[in-house]
Amino acid sequence: MAKLGIKDIAAISGVSPATVSRTLRNPDIVSEETRKKVMKAVEEGGYTPSRFGANLRTQKSGNIIVVMPDITNQVNAGIIRAIESEAQKAGYSILLGDTQGLAEREKHYANMAQSGQADGVLLFTFHMPFNLNKALPVLKQLPPIVNSCESIPIEGISKVMIDNIAGARTAVEHLLSLGHKRIAAVMGPRDTPSTLERLKGYETALATARIEIDEQLIIRGDYGLDSGIGAMEQLLKLRLRPTAVFCFSDDMAIGAMSVLQENGFRIPQDISIMGFDDIRYARLMTPALTTIHQPLEEIGKACIELLLEQLDGKSEQARYVELPFQLMVRQSTGPAPL
Amino acid sequence: MAKLGIKDIAAISGVSPATVSRTLRNPDIVSEETRKKVMKAVEEGGYTPSRFGANLRTQKSGNIIVVMPDITNQVNAGIIRAIESEAQKAGYSILLGDTQGLAEREKHYANMAQSGQADGVLLFTFHMPFNLNKALPVLKQLPPIVNSCESIPIEGISKVMIDNIAGARTAVEHLLSLGHKRIAAVMGPRDTPSTLERLKGYETALATARIEIDEQLIIRGDYGLDSGIGAMEQLLKLRLRPTAVFCFSDDMAIGAMSVLQENGFRIPQDISIMGFDDIRYARLMTPALTTIHQPLEEIGKACIELLLEQLDGKSEQARYVELPFQLMVRQSTGPAPL
DNA sequence: CGCAAAATTGAAAACGTTTACAGTCAACCA
DNA sequence: TGGTTGACTGTAAACGTTTTCAATTTTGCG
C-alpha cells in the first residue's frame, strides 16, 4: 500500500483535507463526531503527516541549529543535552553544527539557517556568520539567535552567560587565600571572549592582591587535554616555578595534573591545580579537582527559553541572562609550600 | 527587500525558473552564457534556495537522525562528531536524537523518521522503533538504517560493530596473564547487547582458564561514573575481594579507581583496574587506565558510509562492518598480589 | 546544404500541507 | 417566525522548488 496523504485520509473519513488538518493540529475546533471519524482513519491508515508540505506552507522547519566548536567537549555536550531535551518538549528538533573550529563549516551553518533549514540558531562559537564589520546588516536577515559561552560583541542579540571575569577572579582569590603568590594561568584558545574574560579575572585578582603579573606564568592553551599537558611541561621548565596553576578549563587541568604526577610532584603539597567548568570527571580525579562549576543544564535550558521567546514572537527585545557559577573546593588545592 | 525566490531570479536574469534550478543543482547542463547570467543574479540578489520547496518536490530532507542513549558519553560524542563531519561532506545534516533512555523519546524519533524529517537513521540504542515482535513488517516502511554499538537482533539491517566478546575476552586474558584469579566484572545496563556480549567474553576467558565464575564478583552497572563508584564499594565489602576489576566502560573504571584511591588502596599493587572504550581521559588517569580501545572515528565514518550507500541506492543489501579493537596496556593493571 | 542528433531551454505539473474565506446549518432570541 | 449568531466544514489558493516533456536552437556530418 502506497503511503497515505492527507487527501486519502480525507476521502476515507468523508471530510475535506482541511478538516483532517484541523483535526490533527487543532482538535478543539472540530466536532467530536468528525474528530472520531478522522482519527479512526488516521490510525487505521497509519497516517503521519508529511513535514514537507507543512514546512513549505508554514515556512517553518521546526528545527533549531546548535553551532558549537566541539561537541566532544564535556561542557558543550552537557549543554546540548539539556537543549535537546527542552527543544523536544517544545516540538523542535536539534540540528547539530560542530564547526571543529573551521571557518568553512561556520559558513555552511550560516547558510543552513538562511535556507530555512532551521528556525533559530544557538551560537556557542565566536567567529561564525558574523564578520564583525558587516555583521549588523546581515543580522536582521538571520533567524532568531541566542548566543552563549562565547560572547559575541554585538548589541541586540540575546545571550546566556556566566560571569567569566568574576569566576576566574574567584578561582584566583581562592588560591591567594591559600597563600599562593606565584600563580600560573593556562589560557584557552587565543582571542576567544571566554579566555579574554577569564584572563581579566585572573589579572584583576592579582592586581587587587598587589602581585605583579609575570608573563612567563601565562601560557596559551586551547581548552583541550593535550594543551594542558604542554602548558604544564612548559611551566615545569621555569627557573622559578609557580606554586599554583589555574587552568581555564578542567580538561587542561586534568592534563596538567597528569604531568605533575608523572614527574613525582605531589598535588597539592608541591603545586596546587585549579580548573574551570566542573565537568563530571573533575571530582573523580585523585586528588579531586578544585574548580569553578558551570551550571550546564541551566545554561542549556535558558538558551532554549530565550530562543523560544523569539520564535513565538513573544519578545522582540534581546535579553541577557546571567547564570551563577560556583567555587568547588576540593583536594587539588592546598596551602602554598613554604 | 523581501526575500527573493527562484522566480525572481529567473525574471532578473531573463530565463525560466527551471533554468535557474538547473544552474544551481546541475551547472554542467546549462550553457556557459546562461550560467553566468544566472549566477550574477543569484549573487547580487543574495539568493539562497529555500529548502522547503526542494524538500517537498524531491521528498528528501537532507537530514540524518542519530539516535543515541546519551550524547554526554565520550564514546557517543566521539562517534557523532565523526558522523557529523562526514555527513556534512556528503551534503547531509545531522539531527540529534538523545533518548536519555526514555521509551517515549524513542517513539518520538521513530516518528520523525517516518514523517520524512530524516532520510536515514543511525541507531545506537537498543529498544527503539523496534518492538521486536512487530519489527520486521515495520522495518520496510522505515528509511534506511544503520545500527551500531548496540546490536539489534534483526536480520537485514546494516551494522557497524566491534567484537565485544573478543574485546572483553582479551581484557580478561590480560588480567589472567598477570596472575589474577579473582577477577570482578562491572557490567553495563541490564540486557543491552553490548553488556551481554562483554559478559560472554568475560565468562569465556574464565572458563578457558578453568576458573569458576563467582556470581558475587559480577556487579550490575550502567556504564556511568556513579555506577562504577557503587560497584566498587560493593566489591570492597566482599569477604574475599577481587584482585582485579574489569569494568565494561572507562567511566565506570574511573569511578572505581576513585573509590579505591579514596580508601587507600594502591592501583595496581593492591587491585588492578581495567576499563573498556579508551576515552581520552583514560590515559591521563593516575595511574593511566588499561583498557580496550574502540576506534570511534572509524565507527562514525563507517556508519555514514553504509548509510550513504543505502541512501544513494547503491546497495540494497545489508552490510556488516566489524572494526578492530585494541588492548591498551597502561599502569592500572599489574601482577596479582600474592 | 539539409537532415539527424545533441544541446539547451521553457511550460507546466507535481510535491503535501495549512489557512483565509466563504458557505452551511442548527440553535437561539426577540 | 425570522433573523442572527455561532459552530463547523469545504473550497481553493498558496508555499518554492524540481523535473518531465516538448520545443527550440545549435552542432555535426555526409
Side-chain angles (χ1 to χ4, degrees), chain B residues 317-330:
Chain B
Q317 223 188 334
R319 272 180 57 195
Y320 180 81
V321 172
E322 185 173 300
L323 264 16
F325 60 86
Q326 200 183 343
L327 172 66
M328 313 296 286
V329 177
R330 300 206 181 97

Side-chain angles (χ1 to χ4, degrees), chain A residues 61 63-66 92 113 117-122 143-146 307 311:
Chain A
S61 65
N63 294 334
I64 290 169
I65 180 167
V66 177
Y92 284 91
Q117 217 174 145
D119 303 335
V121 179
L122 257 25
I145 293 183
V146 173
L307 190 61
L311 290 175

Side-chain angles (χ1 to χ4, degrees), chain B residues 202-272:
Chain B
Y202 165 84
E203 291 170 341
T204 309
L206 290 188
T208 308
R210 300 186 185 282
I211 295 182
E212 210 170 326
I213 306 276
D214 178 349
E215 291 293 341
Q216 286 200 316
L217 293 181
I218 301 182
I219 313 277
R220 173 156 284 144
D222 66 5
Y223 285 151
L225 287 169
D226 291 327
S227 79
I229 295 177
M232 197 68 233
E233 284 169 347
Q234 208 173 322
L235 286 170
L236 286 184
K237 286 194 197 120
L238 251 39
R239 201 170 39 81
L240 252 180
R241 293 194 190 114
T243 63
V245 180
F246 170 39
C247 299
F248 288 11
S249 78
D250 281 356
D251 272 7
M252 295 193 298
I254 290 172
M257 280 176 65
S258 85
V259 169
L260 286 177
Q261 293 177 321
E262 217 159 76
N263 290 40
F265 288 87
R266 293 164 308 159
I267 308 170
Q269 294 85 343
D270 299 325
I271 295 191
S272 286

Side-chain angles (χ1 to χ4, degrees), chain A residues 195-214:
Chain A
T195 284
L196 264 22
E197 289 158 13
R198 290 176 197 178
L199 183 63
K200 184 157 180 196
Y202 166 82
E203 291 171 340
T204 308
L206 290 188
T208 307
R210 300 186 184 280
I211 294 182
E212 211 170 325
I213 305 277
D214 179 348

